[in-house]
Amino acid sequence: AQSVSQHNHHVILSEAASLELGCNYSYGGTVNLFWYVQYPGQHLQLLLKYFSGDPLVKGIKGFEAEFIKSKFSFNLRKPSVQWSDTAEYFCAVNQGNQFYFGTGTSLTVIP
Amino acid sequence: IAGITQAPTSQILAAGRRMTLRCTQDMRHNAMYWYRQDLGLGLRLIHYSNTAGTTGKGEVPDGYSVSRANTDDFPLTLASAVPSQTSVYFCASSNGLAGDNEQFFGPGTRLTVL
């Protein structure tokens, strides 16, 4: 079965610092890739997704992610984080009818 | 528009009891999903449904059953709860099962099995 690895469990940054969260999946083939975010007390919501085309995808709130097929990676980036980005971030992979989520990365941004 | 509602918000249940978690969406989405979220394990898919009348197994289906009698409702049943089913359960829906469709999540149900 597919597995999704998020290497950073908890990240603490100061405002304006740059962010990169790692995500790797285990099996190749045709996949669709997602990053979801869960703000404190809120539902999970989609940040961005990749299913074809340009491997650099842009999402909401200034986030972007790059799909590198040869590395089975889909890392999330933001050049300058804000306090309001404090949240839990989940990488997810869809393959066929199945969806696989990573364990999540908790991001704390210090004002 | 409420989106996705789940009930109950939380529940404490004795082992061996039967429990049904409810999920209703008002977006007329074809596909619906049930996940459980456990510390250190992320979200894992339990069951899914592509359309009313059809269901499929996810990564961790054992001990759970679902039904999809209509488009809006997708209840999850634990026939005989066990402590390992203590978790937070999220229902989600999307416009189709294809992976390029965004999933919309409900607020979750926190279930404790003693």
Side-chain angles (χ1 to χ4, degrees):
Chain A
Q2 182 72 261
S3 67
V4 181
S5 300
Q6 291 183 241
H7 315 295
N8 316 101
H9 298 293
H10 195 178
V11 173
I12 302 173
L13 294 173
S14 298
E15 274 193 318
S18 64
L19 170 72
E20 180 160 2
L21 301 182
C23 174
N24 287 89
Y25 59 97
S26 58
Y27 282 99
T30 302
V31 294
N32 298 302
L33 302 159
F34 307 81
W35 276 97
Y36 282 85
V37 61
Q38 188 173 28
Y39 297 104
Q42 296 188 25
H43 306 182
L44 276 88
Q45 55 186 283
L46 183 69
L47 263 183
L48 48 79
K49 63 183 181 182
Y50 170 84
F51 57 91
S52 66
D54 189 342
L56 183 63
V57 293
K58 296 189 183 299
I60 60 172
K61 304 185 180 185
F63 286 90
E64 64 179 32
E66 184 175 13
F67 170 48
I68 303 179
K69 190 173 183 179
S70 61
K71 294 185 178 180
F72 300 94
S73 70
F74 190 55
N75 292 355
L76 181 72
R77 299 194 293 250
K78 185 171 184 179
S80 177
V81 295
Q82 301 172 311
W83 174 78
S84 58
D85 293 324
T86 294
E88 188 92 14
Y89 293 80
F90 294 92
C91 180
V93 173
N94 160 249
Q95 192 161 35
N97 291 336
Q98 300 297 320
F99 289 84
Y100 303 92
F101 280 74
T103 55
T105 297
S106 173
L107 172 65
T108 301
V109 180
I110 301 170
Chain B
I1 297 177
I4 297 180
T5 57
Q6 292 185 235
T9 302
S10 65
Q11 181 75 45
I12 299 174
L13 189 67
R17 297 296 296 271
R18 180 184 179 90
M19 176 73 193
T20 295
L21 308 185
R22 300 184 298 279
C23 175
T24 299
Q25 53 104 357
D26 62 4
M27 297 175 282
R28 307 303 293 171
H29 283 167
N30 291 323
M32 296 187 74
Y33 316 81
W34 273 106
Y35 293 89
R36 58 178 291 174
Q37 183 180 23
D38 302 289
L39 194 65
L41 296 175
L43 281 84
R44 292 179 292 169
L45 183 64
I46 304 171
H47 285 287
Y48 64 90
S49 169
N50 189 20
T51 187
T54 68
T55 62
K57 294 182 179 180
E59 187 181 357
V60 289
D62 294 343
Y64 305 94
S65 63
V66 292
S67 61
R68 187 88 184 276
N70 57 61
T71 297
D72 299 343
D73 301 300
F74 191 43
L76 176 74
T77 297
L78 290 67
S80 180
V82 295
S84 61
Q85 292 178 309
T86 293
S87 187
V88 180
Y89 291 86
F90 289 98
C91 180
S93 72
S94 65
N95 207 19
L97 191 58
D100 58 348
N101 288 298
E102 175 183 357
Q103 292 185 42
F104 294 83
F105 285 82
T109 293
R110 183 175 295 276
L111 181 67
T112 302
V113 182
L114 301 176

